[in-house]
Amino acid sequence: MKNKNQKDIQMKFRKDINGIRAIAVIAVVIFHFNADWLPGGFAGVDVFFVISGFLMTGIIFRGIEHKNFSLFKFYISRANRIIPALAFLCFVLLIFGWFYLTPIDYKALGKHIVSSLGFFSNIVYWRESGYFDASSHSKWLIHTWSLSTEWQFYIIYPVVLVIMQKFISIELLKRTVLIGTILGLIFCSIATYKWPDPAYYLLPTRIWEMTIGGLAYLYPFSLKERNKKLFEAIGLFLIIFSYMFFSDKNFWPGYLSIFPVIGTFCIIQAQRKVSFVTGNFIFQKLGTCSYSIYLWHWPITVAIYTFSLDDIYVFLGIALSILLGSLSYRYIEKFKFKNDFIKISSYLRSKPILMVVGISFISGLIFISNGAIFRLSKNLQEMNRSAISAIDDWDYPKYNLKIEGTDVRFIKGTTKKNILFIGASHIEQTYPYSSSSQSKYNIYYVTKNGCFLTKSYKNPHWSCSNIQNYKNIINTIKFEKIVTSMFAFDGYLSKNSSIKKEQIKQRIIEYNEFLYFAKSNSNKVFMILGEPKGLEFDPLQSIRHNLRKFITQEEARENYQLHYDALGKLDQINNINILDPIDYLCEKVCKVMDNNFNYYYKDSTHMRSQYAKKALSYLDNILLE
């Protein structure tokens, strides 16, 4: 009886939980407007997940215990809570996009609205790019990935519990949630390092964060007031610590997410009715509007980025996020939609469901019409079609061979002679030319994007071992020629000048070791320097900002000054065949497109496949001789 009373108390309006919402949304907003201010602010989403799990578990278990739980009513209740504010935001963005977005951006918006309202945007964004990639700043609804993850939890979690309770007791059901949470944490900790991008976005690595909130409901603590204060203090410390000392350089969620998750769990368990931190007037107001603030803040961030607005707009953007969030809460969230229907078929007439269908239909039309490209003149239509085509033009298949633990893309030749291409994505972009060259050599591509060959080079988001363990494959296969690239040499360097200097020094030492090893184990070694690069080459940026259609050779080389400095310090540079793409791809200037408006690159640094097949003739003395 005591446990039941505790649960009843828990599920009354909890000012402390409302206050935690404020702490979460403040962190996320600050992080998105300026990550330097709060580098771990993204962990606010983890806080939201715990709260959601606590509340949903309470609703489901109370219904099960009272034998009156209805899946349909549960889903409609969730739809009434989440969809209207989201649908209105999407509608506003559609209107805004018609007047201000390029067809490329508008097409992407149409696609992302459908996935957001269909609650599978987390899957879409995972397939497109990493959450912390620069490209995320051009995606108006990328923050809805968390809503999709939650909604998927809402769909699966109650179904599993309802089915299981038919076969096991309530007490055993609780223990199942406990065991599932522990297993979920273990899986999350492993998967985050093995598959970082899907681990960030997808439910399997996030579900434990929600079920641990469920455990806070299922196993409430009975604490004295002094211990309640202690639990709240510990919880706040863990949350704030994660905000301040973690960053996008950490693998996330992983085991580090324990900090904000356990912190939230502690505050929920503290059950402090009166607290200056969570119960103050400002936090209560922000907590009440937190969902709508969360919805509106990211599109405002994207607008500042898209239109290259001054830093002062960051402060205005934060204020506008709070204002629009407050208005959305007052006039949309508070509106009461019907959630009790007589027939199951009547649920389809639910207004939020109709909103999803209507806005998704319009968004689908925008996507199919290439972002309503008919709005533009004929020449601009051609340029935009070319840009849309270029962005997705990347031909690098999945690995088809594994040698000594190394993933390899293998192109079979007509002899027993072998060539190794090894490096990052700028080696990958040569693949279309190599695969169509009819070379007599067997060609081995060993790559990892965002990586460099030196051991000290660390990509914060994934392992570079596939190329850094280069000795494995070179010792196994006899290569006539080895081809590498310096492009990623200056990646992920520290902002601290003294640390940066040491990093460069160490990379030079280790790259010397690679060159020596490569020369000792092949007949020829080729080094490809950097290609022309810059925002001008990015079809999206070019269209969006009407940028120049060329850069000068001098500008192209200025981008690689650090590379040239490093070349002069490489002891093993002798007898290395150096290829400088700028000499081949540029005449007086480096063009970004041909006379028929066909862009050469897919983004600011990578050639599109169509162009690579035509332009990389400087590889012929590697592939054909």
Coordinates of all heavy atoms in Angstrom, one line a residue, residues 332-364:
I332 N -1.4 26.3 -29.0 CA -1.5 25.0 -29.7 C -1.4 23.9 -28.7 O -2.3 23.0 -28.7 CB -0.3 24.9 -30.7 CG1 -0.4 26.1 -31.8 CG2 -0.4 23.6 -31.4 CD1 0.7 26.1 -32.7
E333 N -0.4 23.8 -27.9 CA -0.2 22.7 -27.0 C -1.4 22.6 -26.0 O -1.8 21.5 -25.6 CB 1.1 22.8 -26.2 CG 2.3 22.4 -26.9 CD 3.5 22.2 -26.0 OE1 3.5 21.3 -25.2 OE2 4.4 23.0 -26.1
K334 N -1.9 23.7 -25.5 CA -3.0 23.7 -24.5 C -4.3 23.4 -25.1 O -5.3 23.1 -24.3 CB -3.0 25.1 -23.8 CG -1.8 25.3 -22.9 CD -1.9 26.6 -22.1 CE -3.0 26.6 -21.0 NZ -3.0 27.8 -20.2
F335 N -4.4 23.4 -26.4 CA -5.7 23.1 -27.0 C -6.0 21.6 -26.8 O -5.2 20.7 -27.0 CB -5.7 23.4 -28.6 CG -7.0 23.3 -29.2 CD1 -7.8 24.4 -29.3 CD2 -7.4 22.1 -29.8 CE1 -9.0 24.4 -30.0 CE2 -8.7 22.0 -30.4 CZ -9.5 23.2 -30.5
K336 N -7.2 21.3 -26.4 CA -7.6 20.0 -26.1 C -8.3 19.3 -27.3 O -9.4 19.7 -27.7 CB -8.6 20.0 -24.9 CG -8.1 20.6 -23.6 CD -6.9 19.8 -23.1 CE -6.4 20.4 -21.8 NZ -5.1 19.8 -21.3
F337 N -7.6 18.3 -27.8 CA -8.2 17.5 -28.9 C -8.9 16.2 -28.3 O -8.5 15.7 -27.3 CB -7.1 17.1 -29.9 CG -6.5 18.2 -30.6 CD1 -5.3 18.9 -30.2 CD2 -7.0 18.6 -31.8 CE1 -4.8 19.9 -30.8 CE2 -6.5 19.7 -32.5 CZ -5.3 20.3 -32.0
K338 N -9.8 15.8 -29.1 CA -10.6 14.6 -28.7 C -9.7 13.4 -28.7 O -8.9 13.2 -29.6 CB -11.8 14.4 -29.6 CG -12.7 13.2 -29.2 CD -13.9 13.1 -30.2 CE -14.8 11.9 -29.8 NZ -15.9 11.8 -30.7
N339 N -9.8 12.6 -27.6 CA -8.9 11.4 -27.5 C -9.7 10.1 -27.2 O -9.1 9.1 -26.9 CB -7.8 11.6 -26.5 CG -8.3 11.7 -25.1 OD1 -9.5 11.8 -24.9 ND2 -7.3 11.8 -24.2
D340 N -11.0 10.2 -27.2 CA -11.9 9.1 -26.8 C -12.9 8.9 -28.0 O -13.8 9.7 -28.2 CB -12.6 9.3 -25.5 CG -13.2 8.1 -25.0 OD1 -13.0 7.0 -25.5 OD2 -14.0 8.2 -24.0
F341 N -12.7 7.8 -28.7 CA -13.5 7.5 -29.8 C -14.3 6.2 -29.6 O -13.7 5.3 -29.0 CB -12.7 7.4 -31.1 CG -12.1 8.7 -31.5 CD1 -10.8 9.1 -31.0 CD2 -12.7 9.6 -32.4 CE1 -10.2 10.2 -31.4 CE2 -12.1 10.8 -32.7 CZ -10.9 11.1 -32.2
I342 N -15.5 6.1 -30.1 CA -16.3 4.9 -29.9 C -15.8 3.7 -30.7 O -15.6 2.6 -30.2 CB -17.8 5.1 -30.3 CG1 -18.3 6.2 -29.4 CG2 -18.6 3.9 -30.1 CD1 -19.7 6.7 -29.8
K343 N -15.5 3.9 -32.0 CA -15.0 2.8 -32.9 C -13.5 3.0 -33.1 O -13.0 4.1 -33.2 CB -15.8 2.8 -34.2 CG -17.3 2.6 -34.1 CD -17.9 2.6 -35.4 CE -19.4 2.4 -35.3 NZ -20.0 2.5 -36.7
I344 N -12.9 1.9 -33.4 CA -11.4 2.0 -33.7 C -11.2 2.8 -35.0 O -10.3 3.6 -35.1 CB -10.8 0.5 -33.8 CG1 -10.8 -0.2 -32.5 CG2 -9.4 0.6 -34.4 CD1 -10.3 -1.6 -32.5
S345 N -12.1 2.6 -36.0 CA -12.0 3.3 -37.2 C -12.1 4.8 -37.0 O -11.6 5.6 -37.8 CB -13.0 2.8 -38.2 OG -14.3 3.0 -37.7
S346 N -12.8 5.2 -36.0 CA -13.0 6.6 -35.7 C -11.7 7.3 -35.3 O -11.6 8.6 -35.5 CB -14.0 6.8 -34.6 OG -15.3 6.3 -34.9
Y347 N -10.7 6.6 -34.9 CA -9.4 7.2 -34.5 C -8.8 7.8 -35.7 O -8.0 8.7 -35.6 CB -8.5 6.1 -33.9 CG -8.9 5.8 -32.5 CD1 -9.6 4.6 -32.2 CD2 -8.4 6.5 -31.4 CE1 -10.0 4.3 -30.9 CE2 -8.7 6.2 -30.1 CZ -9.5 5.1 -29.8 OH -9.8 4.8 -28.5
L348 N -9.1 7.3 -36.9 CA -8.5 7.9 -38.1 C -9.0 9.3 -38.4 O -8.4 10.0 -39.2 CB -8.8 7.0 -39.3 CG -8.2 5.5 -39.2 CD1 -8.6 4.7 -40.4 CD2 -6.7 5.6 -39.2
R349 N -10.1 9.7 -37.7 CA -10.6 11.0 -37.9 C -10.0 12.0 -36.9 O -10.4 13.2 -36.8 CB -12.1 11.0 -37.8 CG -12.8 10.2 -38.9 CD -14.3 10.7 -39.1 NE -15.1 10.4 -37.9 CZ -15.7 9.3 -37.6 NH1 -15.6 8.3 -38.5 NH2 -16.4 9.2 -36.5
S350 N -9.1 11.5 -36.1 CA -8.4 12.4 -35.1 C -7.7 13.5 -35.8 O -7.0 13.3 -36.8 CB -7.4 11.6 -34.3 OG -6.5 12.4 -33.6
K351 N -7.9 14.7 -35.4 CA -7.4 15.9 -36.1 C -5.9 15.9 -36.2 O -5.4 16.3 -37.2 CB -7.9 17.2 -35.4 CG -9.4 17.5 -35.6 CD -9.8 18.8 -35.0 CE -11.2 19.2 -35.3 NZ -12.2 18.2 -34.9
P352 N -5.1 15.5 -35.2 CA -3.7 15.4 -35.3 C -3.3 14.5 -36.4 O -2.3 14.7 -37.2 CB -3.2 14.9 -34.0 CG -4.2 15.5 -33.0 CD -5.5 15.3 -33.7
I353 N -4.0 13.3 -36.6 CA -3.7 12.4 -37.6 C -4.0 13.0 -39.0 O -3.2 12.8 -39.9 CB -4.5 11.1 -37.5 CG1 -4.3 10.4 -36.1 CG2 -4.2 10.1 -38.6 CD1 -2.9 10.0 -35.9
L354 N -5.1 13.8 -39.1 CA -5.4 14.4 -40.4 C -4.4 15.5 -40.7 O -4.0 15.7 -41.9 CB -6.8 15.1 -40.3 CG -8.0 14.1 -40.1 CD1 -9.3 14.8 -40.0 CD2 -8.0 13.1 -41.3
M355 N -3.8 16.2 -39.6 CA -2.7 17.1 -39.9 C -1.5 16.5 -40.5 O -0.9 17.0 -41.4 CB -2.3 17.8 -38.5 CG -3.3 18.7 -37.9 SD -2.6 19.2 -36.3 CE -4.1 20.0 -35.6
V356 N -1.2 15.3 -40.0 CA 0.0 14.5 -40.5 C -0.3 14.2 -42.0 O 0.6 14.4 -42.8 CB 0.2 13.3 -39.7 CG1 1.2 12.3 -40.4 CG2 0.7 13.6 -38.3
V357 N -1.4 13.7 -42.3 CA -1.7 13.3 -43.6 C -1.7 14.5 -44.6 O -1.0 14.4 -45.7 CB -3.1 12.6 -43.7 CG1 -3.5 12.3 -45.2 CG2 -3.1 11.3 -42.9
G358 N -2.3 15.6 -44.2 CA -2.4 16.7 -45.1 C -1.1 17.4 -45.4 O -0.7 17.6 -46.5
I359 N -0.3 17.6 -44.3 CA 1.0 18.3 -44.4 C 2.0 17.4 -45.1 O 2.8 17.8 -45.9 CB 1.5 18.8 -43.1 CG1 0.5 19.9 -42.5 CG2 2.9 19.4 -43.2 CD1 0.9 20.4 -41.2
S360 N 1.9 16.1 -44.8 CA 2.8 15.1 -45.4 C 2.6 15.0 -46.9 O 3.5 14.9 -47.7 CB 2.7 13.7 -44.8 OG 3.1 13.8 -43.5
F361 N 1.3 15.1 -47.3 CA 1.0 15.1 -48.8 C 1.6 16.3 -49.5 O 2.2 16.1 -50.6 CB -0.6 15.1 -48.9 CG -1.0 15.1 -50.4 CD1 -0.9 13.9 -51.1 CD2 -1.5 16.2 -50.9 CE1 -1.3 13.9 -52.4 CE2 -1.9 16.2 -52.3 CZ -1.8 15.1 -53.0
I362 N 1.4 17.4 -48.9 CA 2.0 18.7 -49.6 C 3.5 18.6 -49.6 O 4.1 18.9 -50.6 CB 1.5 19.9 -48.8 CG1 0.0 20.1 -48.8 CG2 2.2 21.2 -49.3 CD1 -0.5 21.2 -47.9
S363 N 4.1 18.1 -48.5 CA 5.5 18.0 -48.5 C 6.1 17.0 -49.5 O 7.1 17.1 -50.1 CB 6.0 17.6 -47.1 OG 5.6 18.5 -46.1
G364 N 5.3 15.9 -49.7 CA 5.7 14.9 -50.7 C 5.7 15.4 -52.1 O 6.5 15.2 -52.9

